[in-house]
Amino acid sequence: MMTEIDYPPDAIELGRLLFARPFLFVKGCVKIADLPEPDRVEIAFAGRSNVGKSSLINALCGTTSLARTSNTPGRTQELNIFESQSEPLRIVDMPGYGFAKAPEDKVRAWTKLIHQYLTGRAILRRVYVLVDGRHGPKDNDLTVMNELDKAAVSYQIVLTKADKLLPKDLDKIIAATRAVIAKRTAAHPHLIITSSHKGDGLSNLRTEIAMLLQS
Ligand code: GTP
Ligand code: MG
């Protein structure tokens, strides 16, 4: 079932080159007014706390230390901005939604920020909505997808932690997730399956992002 997507070789190479450049941490934003000037394309990584957003950004960029990761849900608490000197792309690592080990008022504040950002940022070209490969989309993922559909913000679903499942179990989650995507107006039709630890799917995701910049 884990069918490979046939990307054109030149798009794959563009994706590789894009992430061969160093991306650097620019700033963390706790409110919309802190965001940088809208002078380039933005992509954001959203998902439940602990789904692997920061790990995936590191893996895409070929590093372990760009975005801070942790076993404890609620590690990322700000909109963390990463940019490259040479590429017109900004990457936004978002705090997670759902359960987090952090003070209640803090979680409430960042949850509000997430929703404001996802539906109100004009230069936000695509949201990568990360979904835990062990569970498939949960209610709060569906709520975010509803919001993105309603705001007509393009998004693409990425399954994470594929290394934690047996192939037959992963296949079931893939089928269920594809069924969810098929009904949604702003969802990209390709489902990306990743393991930040093993490197699965990173080339596909880099290629998708490179193609997005070309479009
Ligand atoms: P918050 O910032 O708290 O919302 O979490 P996050 O979504 O940024 O998750 P993070 O990248 O911090 O990863 C959470 C935990 O999942 C860490 O212990 C990671 O090592 C682990 N993890 C992330 N990606 C993978 C993966 O591909 N495979 C496995 N096995 N573990 C992963
Ligand atoms: Mg994080």
PDB file of all heavy atoms in Angstrom, residues 48-55 68-76 95-96 161 163-164 195-197, ligand 1:
ATOM      1  N   ARG A  48      -0.754  17.880  16.674  1.00  0.00           N
ATOM      2  CA  ARG A  48      -0.891  17.695  18.099  1.00  0.00           C
ATOM      3  C   ARG A  48       0.471  17.750  18.782  1.00  0.00           C
ATOM      4  O   ARG A  48       1.496  17.450  18.166  1.00  0.00           O
ATOM      5  CB  ARG A  48      -1.571  16.341  18.375  1.00  0.00           C
ATOM      6  CG  ARG A  48      -3.076  16.332  18.030  1.00  0.00           C
ATOM      7  CD  ARG A  48      -3.577  14.976  17.626  1.00  0.00           C
ATOM      8  NE  ARG A  48      -3.101  13.930  18.501  1.00  0.00           N
ATOM      9  CZ  ARG A  48      -3.674  13.591  19.666  1.00  0.00           C
ATOM     10  NH1 ARG A  48      -4.754  14.211  20.077  1.00  0.00           N
ATOM     11  NH2 ARG A  48      -3.187  12.630  20.380  1.00  0.00           N
ATOM     12  N   SER A  49       0.475  18.115  20.057  1.00  0.00           N
ATOM     13  CA  SER A  49       1.715  18.156  20.823  1.00  0.00           C
ATOM     14  C   SER A  49       2.383  16.786  20.750  1.00  0.00           C
ATOM     15  O   SER A  49       1.700  15.756  20.844  1.00  0.00           O
ATOM     16  CB  SER A  49       1.423  18.484  22.291  1.00  0.00           C
ATOM     17  OG  SER A  49       0.842  19.758  22.387  1.00  0.00           O
ATOM     18  N   ASN A  50       3.702  16.814  20.536  1.00  0.00           N
ATOM     19  CA  ASN A  50       4.496  15.571  20.559  1.00  0.00           C
ATOM     20  C   ASN A  50       4.382  14.724  19.280  1.00  0.00           C
ATOM     21  O   ASN A  50       4.919  13.620  19.222  1.00  0.00           O
ATOM     22  CB  ASN A  50       4.110  14.711  21.783  1.00  0.00           C
ATOM     23  CG  ASN A  50       5.254  13.832  22.237  1.00  0.00           C
ATOM     24  OD1 ASN A  50       6.368  14.314  22.397  1.00  0.00           O
ATOM     25  ND2 ASN A  50       5.008  12.555  22.432  1.00  0.00           N
ATOM     26  N   VAL A  51       3.704  15.218  18.253  1.00  0.00           N
ATOM     27  CA  VAL A  51       3.529  14.418  17.030  1.00  0.00           C
ATOM     28  C   VAL A  51       4.840  14.295  16.235  1.00  0.00           C
ATOM     29  O   VAL A  51       4.991  13.380  15.411  1.00  0.00           O
ATOM     30  CB  VAL A  51       2.387  15.002  16.153  1.00  0.00           C
ATOM     31  CG1 VAL A  51       2.760  16.346  15.553  1.00  0.00           C
ATOM     32  CG2 VAL A  51       1.972  14.040  15.076  1.00  0.00           C
ATOM     33  N   GLY A  52       5.763  15.237  16.494  1.00  0.00           N
ATOM     34  CA  GLY A  52       7.059  15.177  15.813  1.00  0.00           C
ATOM     35  C   GLY A  52       7.317  16.324  14.843  1.00  0.00           C
ATOM     36  O   GLY A  52       8.084  16.184  13.891  1.00  0.00           O
ATOM     37  N   LYS A  53       6.716  17.489  15.103  1.00  0.00           N
ATOM     38  CA  LYS A  53       6.881  18.651  14.224  1.00  0.00           C
ATOM     39  C   LYS A  53       8.330  19.137  14.195  1.00  0.00           C
ATOM     40  O   LYS A  53       8.932  19.310  13.136  1.00  0.00           O
ATOM     41  CB  LYS A  53       5.962  19.814  14.688  1.00  0.00           C
ATOM     42  CG  LYS A  53       4.479  19.447  14.699  1.00  0.00           C
ATOM     43  CD  LYS A  53       3.606  20.536  15.308  1.00  0.00           C
ATOM     44  CE  LYS A  53       3.809  20.775  16.783  1.00  0.00           C
ATOM     45  NZ  LYS A  53       3.410  19.644  17.648  1.00  0.00           N
ATOM     46  N   SER A  54       8.875  19.383  15.386  1.00  0.00           N
ATOM     47  CA  SER A  54      10.237  19.920  15.453  1.00  0.00           C
ATOM     48  C   SER A  54      11.241  18.892  14.927  1.00  0.00           C
ATOM     49  O   SER A  54      12.192  19.246  14.222  1.00  0.00           O
ATOM     50  CB  SER A  54      10.574  20.318  16.894  1.00  0.00           C
ATOM     51  OG  SER A  54       9.634  21.270  17.371  1.00  0.00           O
ATOM     52  N   SER A  55      11.012  17.621  15.234  1.00  0.00           N
ATOM     53  CA  SER A  55      11.902  16.553  14.745  1.00  0.00           C
ATOM     54  C   SER A  55      11.889  16.498  13.220  1.00  0.00           C
ATOM     55  O   SER A  55      12.934  16.278  12.595  1.00  0.00           O
ATOM     56  CB  SER A  55      11.451  15.193  15.284  1.00  0.00           C
ATOM     57  OG  SER A  55      11.487  15.171  16.682  1.00  0.00           O
ATOM     58  N   ARG A  68      14.165  22.635  18.748  1.00  0.00           N
ATOM     59  CA  ARG A  68      14.297  21.820  19.969  1.00  0.00           C
ATOM     60  C   ARG A  68      13.163  20.818  20.093  1.00  0.00           C
ATOM     61  O   ARG A  68      12.008  21.158  19.897  1.00  0.00           O
ATOM     62  CB  ARG A  68      14.359  22.717  21.196  1.00  0.00           C
ATOM     63  CG  ARG A  68      15.777  23.233  21.404  1.00  0.00           C
ATOM     64  CD  ARG A  68      15.895  23.902  22.736  1.00  0.00           C
ATOM     65  NE  ARG A  68      16.336  25.268  22.539  1.00  0.00           N
ATOM     66  CZ  ARG A  68      16.029  26.266  23.347  1.00  0.00           C
ATOM     67  NH1 ARG A  68      15.230  26.071  24.380  1.00  0.00           N
ATOM     68  NH2 ARG A  68      16.498  27.469  23.110  1.00  0.00           N
ATOM     69  N   THR A  69      13.522  19.595  20.422  1.00  0.00           N
ATOM     70  CA  THR A  69      12.544  18.512  20.527  1.00  0.00           C
ATOM     71  C   THR A  69      12.555  17.965  21.948  1.00  0.00           C
ATOM     72  O   THR A  69      13.480  18.242  22.707  1.00  0.00           O
ATOM     73  CB  THR A  69      12.898  17.354  19.573  1.00  0.00           C
ATOM     74  OG1 THR A  69      14.125  16.771  20.005  1.00  0.00           O
ATOM     75  CG2 THR A  69      13.051  17.825  18.144  1.00  0.00           C
ATOM     76  N   SER A  70      11.538  17.213  22.285  1.00  0.00           N
ATOM     77  CA  SER A  70      11.482  16.625  23.618  1.00  0.00           C
ATOM     78  C   SER A  70      10.457  15.513  23.679  1.00  0.00           C
ATOM     79  O   SER A  70       9.513  15.482  22.889  1.00  0.00           O
ATOM     80  CB  SER A  70      11.121  17.714  24.625  1.00  0.00           C
ATOM     81  OG  SER A  70      10.603  17.145  25.790  1.00  0.00           O
ATOM     82  N   ASN A  71      10.647  14.628  24.623  1.00  0.00           N
ATOM     83  CA  ASN A  71       9.682  13.581  24.918  1.00  0.00           C
ATOM     84  C   ASN A  71       8.410  14.120  25.539  1.00  0.00           C
ATOM     85  O   ASN A  71       7.370  13.475  25.524  1.00  0.00           O
ATOM     86  CB  ASN A  71      10.323  12.649  25.958  1.00  0.00           C
ATOM     87  CG  ASN A  71      10.498  11.276  25.382  1.00  0.00           C
ATOM     88  OD1 ASN A  71       9.633  10.834  24.632  1.00  0.00           O
ATOM     89  ND2 ASN A  71      11.586  10.615  25.708  1.00  0.00           N
ATOM     90  N   THR A  72       8.509  15.311  26.131  1.00  0.00           N
ATOM     91  CA  THR A  72       7.388  15.894  26.870  1.00  0.00           C
ATOM     92  C   THR A  72       6.539  16.743  25.937  1.00  0.00           C
ATOM     93  O   THR A  72       7.053  17.678  25.318  1.00  0.00           O
ATOM     94  CB  THR A  72       7.923  16.789  28.010  1.00  0.00           C
ATOM     95  OG1 THR A  72       8.909  16.057  28.720  1.00  0.00           O
ATOM     96  CG2 THR A  72       6.813  17.228  28.935  1.00  0.00           C
ATOM     97  N   PRO A  73       5.234  16.432  25.793  1.00  0.00           N
ATOM     98  CA  PRO A  73       4.381  17.262  24.933  1.00  0.00           C
ATOM     99  C   PRO A  73       4.318  18.698  25.445  1.00  0.00           C
ATOM    100  O   PRO A  73       4.135  18.909  26.642  1.00  0.00           O
ATOM    101  CB  PRO A  73       3.011  16.578  25.019  1.00  0.00           C
ATOM    102  CG  PRO A  73       3.111  15.493  26.022  1.00  0.00           C
ATOM    103  CD  PRO A  73       4.529  15.324  26.439  1.00  0.00           C
ATOM    104  N   GLY A  74       4.471  19.652  24.546  1.00  0.00           N
ATOM    105  CA  GLY A  74       4.452  21.055  24.942  1.00  0.00           C
ATOM    106  C   GLY A  74       5.838  21.667  24.921  1.00  0.00           C
ATOM    107  O   GLY A  74       6.078  22.708  25.532  1.00  0.00           O
ATOM    108  N   ARG A  75       6.752  21.047  24.165  1.00  0.00           N
ATOM    109  CA  ARG A  75       8.131  21.561  24.108  1.00  0.00           C
ATOM    110  C   ARG A  75       8.168  22.904  23.384  1.00  0.00           C
ATOM    111  O   ARG A  75       8.739  23.863  23.866  1.00  0.00           O
ATOM    112  CB  ARG A  75       9.035  20.555  23.377  1.00  0.00           C
ATOM    113  CG  ARG A  75      10.477  21.022  23.260  1.00  0.00           C
ATOM    114  CD  ARG A  75      11.066  21.053  24.642  1.00  0.00           C
ATOM    115  NE  ARG A  75      12.386  21.640  24.722  1.00  0.00           N
ATOM    116  CZ  ARG A  75      12.626  22.934  24.862  1.00  0.00           C
ATOM    117  NH1 ARG A  75      11.633  23.812  24.836  1.00  0.00           N
ATOM    118  NH2 ARG A  75      13.854  23.364  24.987  1.00  0.00           N
ATOM    119  N   THR A  76       7.591  22.954  22.207  1.00  0.00           N
ATOM    120  CA  THR A  76       7.587  24.193  21.420  1.00  0.00           C
ATOM    121  C   THR A  76       6.425  25.047  21.897  1.00  0.00           C
ATOM    122  O   THR A  76       5.271  24.609  21.864  1.00  0.00           O
ATOM    123  CB  THR A  76       7.454  23.868  19.916  1.00  0.00           C
ATOM    124  OG1 THR A  76       8.454  22.909  19.568  1.00  0.00           O
ATOM    125  CG2 THR A  76       7.611  25.119  19.067  1.00  0.00           C
ATOM    126  N   PRO A  95       3.759  25.555  18.045  1.00  0.00           N
ATOM    127  CA  PRO A  95       3.405  24.791  19.239  1.00  0.00           C
ATOM    128  C   PRO A  95       2.324  23.772  18.849  1.00  0.00           C
ATOM    129  O   PRO A  95       1.643  23.944  17.843  1.00  0.00           O
ATOM    130  CB  PRO A  95       2.816  25.844  20.192  1.00  0.00           C
ATOM    131  CG  PRO A  95       3.202  27.174  19.631  1.00  0.00           C
ATOM    132  CD  PRO A  95       3.348  26.970  18.149  1.00  0.00           C
ATOM    133  N   GLY A  96       2.174  22.749  19.657  1.00  0.00           N
ATOM    134  CA  GLY A  96       1.174  21.736  19.344  1.00  0.00           C
ATOM    135  C   GLY A  96      -0.189  22.091  19.921  1.00  0.00           C
ATOM    136  O   GLY A  96      -0.300  22.943  20.801  1.00  0.00           O
ATOM    137  N   LYS A 161       6.327   9.214  12.494  1.00  0.00           N
ATOM    138  CA  LYS A 161       6.725   8.061  13.325  1.00  0.00           C
ATOM    139  C   LYS A 161       6.372   6.728  12.677  1.00  0.00           C
ATOM    140  O   LYS A 161       5.991   5.774  13.361  1.00  0.00           O
ATOM    141  CB  LYS A 161       6.114   8.170  14.732  1.00  0.00           C
ATOM    142  CG  LYS A 161       6.395   9.529  15.405  1.00  0.00           C
ATOM    143  CD  LYS A 161       6.026   9.566  16.867  1.00  0.00           C
ATOM    144  CE  LYS A 161       6.191  10.977  17.451  1.00  0.00           C
ATOM    145  NZ  LYS A 161       5.903  11.045  18.888  1.00  0.00           N
ATOM    146  N   ASP A 163       8.158   4.555  11.639  1.00  0.00           N
ATOM    147  CA  ASP A 163       9.042   3.470  12.115  1.00  0.00           C
ATOM    148  C   ASP A 163       8.459   2.728  13.314  1.00  0.00           C
ATOM    149  O   ASP A 163       8.909   1.638  13.656  1.00  0.00           O
ATOM    150  CB  ASP A 163      10.417   4.046  12.477  1.00  0.00           C
ATOM    151  CG  ASP A 163      10.331   5.144  13.519  1.00  0.00           C
ATOM    152  OD1 ASP A 163       9.985   6.295  13.149  1.00  0.00           O
ATOM    153  OD2 ASP A 163      10.584   4.884  14.694  1.00  0.00           O
ATOM    154  N   LYS A 164       7.465   3.324  13.960  1.00  0.00           N
ATOM    155  CA  LYS A 164       6.905   2.694  15.161  1.00  0.00           C
ATOM    156  C   LYS A 164       5.827   1.658  14.853  1.00  0.00           C
ATOM    157  O   LYS A 164       5.291   1.042  15.771  1.00  0.00           O
ATOM    158  CB  LYS A 164       6.313   3.759  16.096  1.00  0.00           C
ATOM    159  CG  LYS A 164       7.360   4.645  16.752  1.00  0.00           C
ATOM    160  CD  LYS A 164       6.866   5.155  18.075  1.00  0.00           C
ATOM    161  CE  LYS A 164       7.944   5.924  18.817  1.00  0.00           C
ATOM    162  NZ  LYS A 164       7.588   6.113  20.219  1.00  0.00           N
ATOM    163  N   SER A 195       9.324   9.063   8.602  1.00  0.00           N
ATOM    164  CA  SER A 195       9.980   8.750   9.866  1.00  0.00           C
ATOM    165  C   SER A 195      11.187   9.668   9.964  1.00  0.00           C
ATOM    166  O   SER A 195      12.118   9.551   9.160  1.00  0.00           O
ATOM    167  CB  SER A 195      10.435   7.300   9.917  1.00  0.00           C
ATOM    168  OG  SER A 195      11.388   7.152  10.961  1.00  0.00           O
ATOM    169  N   SER A 196      11.135  10.564  10.931  1.00  0.00           N
ATOM    170  CA  SER A 196      12.277  11.470  11.108  1.00  0.00           C
ATOM    171  C   SER A 196      13.486  10.688  11.595  1.00  0.00           C
ATOM    172  O   SER A 196      14.621  11.056  11.304  1.00  0.00           O
ATOM    173  CB  SER A 196      11.939  12.554  12.128  1.00  0.00           C
ATOM    174  OG  SER A 196      10.882  13.336  11.638  1.00  0.00           O
ATOM    175  N   HIS A 197      13.241   9.619  12.311  1.00  0.00           N
ATOM    176  CA  HIS A 197      14.352   8.829  12.855  1.00  0.00           C
ATOM    177  C   HIS A 197      15.030   7.980  11.788  1.00  0.00           C
ATOM    178  O   HIS A 197      16.249   7.863  11.762  1.00  0.00           O
ATOM    179  CB  HIS A 197      13.864   7.963  14.025  1.00  0.00           C
ATOM    180  CG  HIS A 197      13.589   8.767  15.266  1.00  0.00           C
ATOM    181  ND1 HIS A 197      13.362   8.190  16.490  1.00  0.00           N
ATOM    182  CD2 HIS A 197      13.512  10.103  15.464  1.00  0.00           C
ATOM    183  CE1 HIS A 197      13.164   9.141  17.399  1.00  0.00           C
ATOM    184  NE2 HIS A 197      13.234  10.312  16.784  1.00  0.00           N
TER     185      HIS A 197
HETATM  186  P1  GTP B   1       5.710  19.831  20.743  1.00  0.00           P
HETATM  187  O1  GTP B   1       6.696  20.883  20.387  1.00  0.00           O
HETATM  188  O2  GTP B   1       5.743  19.468  22.179  1.00  0.00           O
HETATM  189  O3  GTP B   1       4.334  20.113  20.239  1.00  0.00           O
HETATM  190  O4  GTP B   1       6.164  18.439  20.014  1.00  0.00           O
HETATM  191  P2  GTP B   1       6.661  18.190  18.516  1.00  0.00           P
HETATM  192  O5  GTP B   1       5.481  17.881  17.662  1.00  0.00           O
HETATM  193  O6  GTP B   1       7.571  19.261  18.064  1.00  0.00           O
HETATM  194  O7  GTP B   1       7.451  16.797  18.703  1.00  0.00           O
HETATM  195  P3  GTP B   1       9.027  16.572  18.833  1.00  0.00           P
HETATM  196  O8  GTP B   1       9.658  16.768  17.495  1.00  0.00           O
HETATM  197  O9  GTP B   1       9.551  17.329  19.983  1.00  0.00           O
HETATM  198  O10 GTP B   1       9.049  14.997  19.106  1.00  0.00           O
HETATM  199  C1  GTP B   1       8.336  14.431  20.180  1.00  0.00           C
HETATM  200  C2  GTP B   1       8.910  13.060  20.503  1.00  0.00           C
HETATM  201  O11 GTP B   1       8.670  12.164  19.417  1.00  0.00           O
HETATM  202  C3  GTP B   1      10.421  13.071  20.722  1.00  0.00           C
HETATM  203  O12 GTP B   1      10.731  12.178  21.779  1.00  0.00           O
HETATM  204  C4  GTP B   1      10.961  12.557  19.393  1.00  0.00           C
HETATM  205  O13 GTP B   1      12.209  11.894  19.511  1.00  0.00           O
HETATM  206  C5  GTP B   1       9.882  11.576  18.971  1.00  0.00           C
HETATM  207  N1  GTP B   1       9.840  11.442  17.509  1.00  0.00           N
HETATM  208  C6  GTP B   1       9.731  12.429  16.616  1.00  0.00           C
HETATM  209  N2  GTP B   1       9.750  11.950  15.353  1.00  0.00           N
HETATM  210  C7  GTP B   1       9.885  10.610  15.458  1.00  0.00           C
HETATM  211  C8  GTP B   1       9.991   9.535  14.500  1.00  0.00           C
HETATM  212  O14 GTP B   1       9.979   9.697  13.279  1.00  0.00           O
HETATM  213  N3  GTP B   1      10.106   8.286  15.009  1.00  0.00           N
HETATM  214  C9  GTP B   1      10.113   8.022  16.353  1.00  0.00           C
HETATM  215  N4  GTP B   1      10.211   6.754  16.743  1.00  0.00           N
HETATM  216  N5  GTP B   1      10.033   9.007  17.266  1.00  0.00           N
HETATM  217  C10 GTP B   1       9.922  10.282  16.833  1.00  0.00           C
END
